[in-house]
């Protein structure tokens, strides 16, 4: 499982004459199959401006028209690595001391870090965490890096509110269905075989992760409740419900049905939940009227990742959730691990060895690219010099410690960006070497249009974990460690951002070769 | 199975204090569950004006917020009756002489009747039908009629391009899911039990009907083809693909996968199909390029029901399909049976006895309401008098022989309508007694808004048939006779039309009591 990450010859190893386009008619016919498939399978986004209680307009999420080639060995390797990443992050999540050391410099300048840490301190000051078990749904993102050989390099790892799993699942089902229908056949020798398109079961797998956490919570504890259920904490006016709801429906549809409900962060959490004296979290939705409430076994967080969500109500809501006996997916400390600052610190000499065996640490380290702090340390000073210098800055990305894409600054734009913020805030960022990914031809179909051109893909591997804190000094025991699936996104090579929100990134399926 | 249709005491027998609304908050919460459910399950319509190759806007189809009460005995009776209706219509479909006698007066004044009949004559003149087996997917629509007792009365029967099956299936799944989630629980004693909501498997059942026809076609006959498949013939720029596509996907997804493709009527039928010398229908989609074509086993018609579709290209396309060896779902003569004129003729004394045993004829007849021709016969003269006279006309509906709703003239509007068309065209219509249906309270949610008020429901029962012509004089043998499911639609009591297209009708689930 551990050991050296494989690398494959590059880039002449990639398929030629790809994608197998035979004619414009063929392309338009595939596009119409895709459009109808997406509508029928909820591969859609809400046009949130059009939303009313009685209706809403939706439109298909961006997808690739053809699957995009990706080396099978590296796809499989990324999946294998996930159990090590799970082990690493579960161990880190219980190491409060290490986390504090890593992010303490962020606290004065990073509102989200400050909010989360102060909620953590407040929980500890008012009785502490009453639940020893935590759940995590993580996603480690990789790109291919070309050099003398093609390797797998980690872009980032998300530990909170990982999105895209359901869309990824539906898009893979779609490409497999199109293949079965023979729509790619006209390509002749370059035809796509269904055995080259890996099956994706994200929706079922994530439901399984939450169901395992639900089972770990055990039987109902409060006599006031009528039922025990998983609670999804979601953002109001969410345009991306088609990524969350399938997991909720899959919980209900399991052989042993797991009830699942949702509540909006933060006002509705305050209005419709309460803590019992023994810290059970009760959910009193308005539609239940005066009937008994629901006891929450697992809180699945799909909100609370943006600083603006932590006004007074947001802090109070998160505090209530964290103080409860419900299993948090994820815990507050594992939420903090999503910061890029943590990712950068792991690249420092010896950092991984605190948490992993030498062999596993080497496997993880082989996916790292150079990353630097932007602080007053020696390495930090060196990084600041490289960043403000256009010729060297060209090879780097400047990343804030925020969830998701869309906030990065690329290459030559870095120096101007830094000139316009106070130097005291530079240390909120990290500097990361750009990954030089091979560009392959494909056709992307999104609200922006249908475009043929060079594209770059990103593979995200989903991990599902359940662990128990065994002592107050950072010891933990893994209860579940599963590879819960993967996402595959592709964007035009001339765009830096993978953001699906902004219409750049498209969901895709790897064509393994 | 046959025998007298049951009737139940009315209307005090209906549930009181329905629907179980506890608060506005509850209603809004249910509405948000419905909206998200519809998006995730493709219970949607295309905003066809927004359609481009790369994207389209969609919006949820209208549905009831609560299921609508419907007497269980009459629901079950409607399902039982379908096998008799199937038998009746399969027998009629092979009785060319009777059909001609029934519709011959329409031919000079009814363009669709004229188109279909002339294509029929042309097929006979150029070699005749080479396929003895026909398939049918029929839908018989009923409303409740209140009098001293509540009875089931037939509104119409559709033999061609029956729509709504997939939407009905998804809506029932939705109401059952909402019930399981407990969203209706606040209603206390009026809570809705899942055992009162019948399961709906329309999508699977219709796929089964087509798969049975596909099997009846037998092995591939043409050496030119690479595959045998079902072909859906559809309208261009169709906003309602979410009603058709699920059946196509269900065919592919069967344990023994049945390939299914679609082609637009009429130009694409002409461009992309051909007949072999032995009359196999070959489909040469543009995306197959120069690769071998597909042999068509079953033609499932979801186009060709409007007169304007039969310009020269439309006639040529339909002729090619009818001349082919493929099994037609339905045959051209069974298409003609969808005319209201046929429905009216069946109410004439003795008409049913030509096709059914006395017992079965009585069962069918018990669902009839008074219907009259608008021709020069004695009954016709009487009907014309009633129709132009406002006080008597009030109790009637004037119906043209067209597919679907939206073309009827109601009550007092009839006399003015008739004044404005030439008297020679009156006989294209039939006059039908209005069904006095019980109004129940419910909440409807559609693009028009969320409205609480009195509603009226319509139950459509789907029949799936496969039959073989055994001689040229009208003999036929049933190969399959199945009740293939049902649709349930509800509209505001103060609107005459059930049209979902126009946003009046909503899909619904019967709450059986």
């Amino acid at each position: 499982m551990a050991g050296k990450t494989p690398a494959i010859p590059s880039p002449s190893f990639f398929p030629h004459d790809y994608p197998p386009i035979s004619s414009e008619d063929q392309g338009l016919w595939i596009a119409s199959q895709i459009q109808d498939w997406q509508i029928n399978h909820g591969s859609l986004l809400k046009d949130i401006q059009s939303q009313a209680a009685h209706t809403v307009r939706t439109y298909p999420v961006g997808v690739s028209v053809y699957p995009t080639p990706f080396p099978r060995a590296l796809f499989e390797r990324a999946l294998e690595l996930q159990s090590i990443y799970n082990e690493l992050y579960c161990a880190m999540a219980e190491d409060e001391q290490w986390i504090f050391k890593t992010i303490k410099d962020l606290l004065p300048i990073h509102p989200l870090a400050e909010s989360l840490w102060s909620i953590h301190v407040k929980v500890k000051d008012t009785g502490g965490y009453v639940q020893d078990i935590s759940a995590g749904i993580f996603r480690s993102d990789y790109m291919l890096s070309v050099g003398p050989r093609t390797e797998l390099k980690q872009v980032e790892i998300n530990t909170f509110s990982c999105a895209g799993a359901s869309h990824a699942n539906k898009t893979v089902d779609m490409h497999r269905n199109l293949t079965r229908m023979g729509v790619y056949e006209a390509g002749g020798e370059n035809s796509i075989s269904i055995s080259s398109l890996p099956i994706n079961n994200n929706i079922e797998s994530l439901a399984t992760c939450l169901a395992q956490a639900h089972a770990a919570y055990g039987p109902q504890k409060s006599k006031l409740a009528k039922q025990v259920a998983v609670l999804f904490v979601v953002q109001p006016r969410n345009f991306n419900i088609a990524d969350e709801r399938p997991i909720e429906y899959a919980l209900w549809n399991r052989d042993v049905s797991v009830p699942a409900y949702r509540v909006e962060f933060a006002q509705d959490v305050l209005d419709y939940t309460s803590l019992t004296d023994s810290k059970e979290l009760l959910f009193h939705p308005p539609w239940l009227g005066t009937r008994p409430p629901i006891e929450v076994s697992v809180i699945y967080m799909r909100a609370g990742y943006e600083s603006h969500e932590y006004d007074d109500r947001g802090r109070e809501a998160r505090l209530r959730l964290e103080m409860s006996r419900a299993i948090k997916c994820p815990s507050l400390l594992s939420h903090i691990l999503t910061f890029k600052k943590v990712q950068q610190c792991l690249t420092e000499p010896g950092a991984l060895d605190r948490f992993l065996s030498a062999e596993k640490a080497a496997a993880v380290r082989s996916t790292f690219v150079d990353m630097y702090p932007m602080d007053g340390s020696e390495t930090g000073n060196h990084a600041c010099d490289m960043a403000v210098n256009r010729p060297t800055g060209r090879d780097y990305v400047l990343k804030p410690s925020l969830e998701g894409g869309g906030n990065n600054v690329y290459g030559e734009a870095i120096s101007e960006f830094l000139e316009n913020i106070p130097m005291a805030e530079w240390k909120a960022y990290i500097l990361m070497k750009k990954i030089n990914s091979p560009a392959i031809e494909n056709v992307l179909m999104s609200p922006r249009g249908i475009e043929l051109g060079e594209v770059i893909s990103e593979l995200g591997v989903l991990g599902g974990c359940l662990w128990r804190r065994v002592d107050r000094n950072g010891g933990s025991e893994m209860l579940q460690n599963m590879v819960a699936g993967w996402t595959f996104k592709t964007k035009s090579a001339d765009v830096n951002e993978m953001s699906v929100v902004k219409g750049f990134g498209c969901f895709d399926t790897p064509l393994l070769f």
Side-chain angles (χ1 to χ4, degrees), chain A:
Chain A
M1 170 108 64
K4 199 165 157 44
T5 298
I8 58 154
S10 73
S12 59
F13 192 62
F14 279 81
H16 288 287
D17 299 327
Y18 195 86
I21 303 174
S22 66
S23 67
E24 194 182 333
D25 267 356
Q26 183 212 25
L28 289 175
W29 192 83
I30 299 178
S32 100
Q33 302 302 313
I34 288 176
Q35 184 178 98
D36 286 3
W37 203 96
Q38 292 192 276
I39 292 170
N40 276 283
H41 295 81
S43 190
L44 301 167
L45 298 173
K46 279 188 185 178
D47 171 3
I48 208 69
Q49 298 305 324
S50 73
Q51 177 157 304
H54 65 289
T55 197
V56 66
R57 287 290 195 272
T58 71
Y59 57 95
V61 71
V63 293
S64 66
V65 172
Y66 300 83
T68 302
F70 193 92
R72 186 184 290 271
L74 298 185
F75 175 81
E76 288 170 356
R77 178 59 181 168
L79 264 59
E80 279 170 11
L81 280 171
Q82 192 57 38
S83 61
I84 306 178
Y85 268 113
N86 289 346
E87 185 184 333
L88 171 63
Y89 275 75
C90 293
M92 286 160 70
E94 295 303 333
D95 196 337
E96 181 190 7
Q97 201 186 340
W98 187 87
I99 294 174
F100 180 68
K101 200 187 82 185
T102 304
I103 62 141
K104 69 175 191 301
D105 285 352
L106 288 183
L107 299 181
I109 50 169
H110 194 292
L112 182 59
E114 191 281 323
S115 297
L116 296 178
W117 192 260
S118 69
I119 293 166
H120 170 64
V121 170
K122 192 80 175 273
V123 175
K124 289 191 10 164
D125 288 351
T126 44
Y129 295 101
V130 295
Q131 178 58 260
D132 288 339
I133 298 177
S134 295
I137 292 175
F138 306 144
R139 199 191 68 228
S140 181
D141 293 334
Y142 304 92
M143 288 171 79
L144 296 176
S145 166
V146 284
R149 295 168 72 79
T150 300
E151 295 176 294
L152 206 56
K153 291 295 177 188
Q154 188 184 52
V155 180
E156 62 178 355
I157 184 163
N158 297 290
T159 62
F160 193 79
S161 281
C162 298
S166 298
H167 283 304
N169 197 151
K170 294 171 184 181
T171 302
V172 173
D173 288 350
M174 180 189 81
H175 283 127
R176 289 177 57 90
N177 184 60
L178 291 171
T179 304
R180 185 171 61 166
M181 289 180 71
V183 309
Y184 301 127
E185 276 185 26
E189 281 184 25
N190 265 317
S191 287
I192 292 163
S193 152
I194 201 158
S195 61
S196 303
L197 304 178
I199 290 171
N200 188 303
N201 288 321
N202 289 350
I203 295 170
E204 279 306 315
S205 296
L206 295 196
T208 298
C209 294
L210 295 173
Q212 285 170 343
H214 176 76
Y217 179 81
Q220 182 175 320
K221 289 147 193 39
S222 166
K223 290 192 179 127
L224 301 171
K226 65 152 190 161
Q227 188 185 43
V228 185
V230 175
L231 187 64
F232 286 45
V233 177
V234 299
Q235 288 189 328
R237 289 177 68 74
N238 182 355
F239 78 109
N240 198 15
I241 54 101
D243 196 52
E244 296 169 358
R245 287 284 197 180
I247 304 167
E248 197 178 318
Y249 301 138
L251 281 166
W252 281 101
N253 288 336
R254 289 175 71 81
D255 290 342
V256 178
S257 186
V258 176
Y261 301 95
R262 56 174 36 210
V263 67
E264 288 178 4
F265 191 79
Q267 188 59 53
D268 284 0
V269 169
L270 295 176
D271 290 349
Y272 302 127
T273 69
S274 66
L275 288 178
T276 67
D277 289 346
S278 45
K279 301 289 188 278
E280 285 83 31
L281 183 68
L282 299 182
F283 178 44
H284 313 257
W287 44 273
L288 270 185
T290 56
R291 294 168 70 90
I294 294 155
E295 180 174 331
V296 178
S297 56
V298 181
I299 297 166
Y300 178 38
M301 297 296 292
R302 294 289 295 242
Y305 49 83
E306 292 174 314
S307 346
H308 72 79
E309 293 176 88
Y310 291 96
D311 57 8
D312 288 348
R313 292 173 311 153
R315 283 170 182 246
E316 191 187 340
R318 186 77 190 258
L319 179 66
R320 184 181 302 171
L321 299 175
E322 295 299 328
M323 288 188 63
S324 80
R325 185 172 303 281
I327 294 174
K328 271 68 75 182
C329 181
S331 69
L332 197 139
L333 287 183
S334 34
H335 181 172
I336 293 175
L337 299 181
T338 214
F339 291 177
K340 303 293 176 291
K341 182 68 195 164
V342 172
Q343 188 189 359
Q344 178 263 312
C345 282
L346 283 180
T347 68
E348 290 176 358
L352 286 172
D353 304 296
R354 184 179 175 98
F355 305 106
L356 294 175
S357 69
E359 192 190 19
K360 288 178 178 174
V364 163
R365 195 177 296 115
S366 73
T367 68
F368 289 170
V369 296
D370 295 342
M371 298 184 78
Y372 305 97
M374 292 284 288
D375 58 17
S377 68
E378 195 179 331
T379 338
N381 282 328
H382 173 62
C384 292
D385 286 348
M386 289 198 298
V388 294
N389 182 342
R390 276 168 188 268
T392 48
R394 191 184 294 153
D395 296 332
Y396 289 87
V397 188
L398 185 73
K399 294 187 167 186
S401 274
L402 288 174
E403 182 68 19
N407 300 294
N408 300 335
V409 185
Y410 294 87
E412 297 191 351
I414 297 174
S415 77
E416 193 182 333
F417 176 83
L418 287 174
E419 278 167 25
N420 288 300
I421 60 169
M423 203 178 266
E425 288 179 17
W426 287 19
K427 63 185 168 206
Y429 294 82
I430 58 105
L431 193 70
M432 181 174 177
K433 192 88 185 267
K434 266 191 190 173
I435 299 170
N436 183 19
S437 214
I440 298 160
E441 291 247 316
N442 202 347
V443 182
L444 301 181
M445 173 170 163
S446 76
R448 291 153 51 94
I450 299 180
E451 293 165 305
L452 168 68
E454 293 199 322
V455 299
I456 286 177
S457 300
E458 187 176 294
L459 174 66
V461 182
L462 294 162
C465 313
L466 197 64
W467 72 94
R468 185 198 307 272
R469 181 175 61 247
V470 289
D471 63 54
R472 302 276 150 190
N473 301 320
S476 71
E477 170 198 7
M478 293 239 15
L479 305 176
Q480 295 283 349
N481 178 349
M482 67 188 273
V483 183
W486 46 273
T487 65
F488 192 66
K489 289 188 285 189
T490 296
K491 65 174 179 63
S492 171
D494 56 18
V495 173
N496 281 316
E497 289 187 48
M498 187 57 88
S499 171
V500 176
V501 181
K502 296 187 185 168
F504 298 126
C506 288
F507 287 97
D508 194 356
T509 304
L511 176 72
L512 300 182
F513 68 92

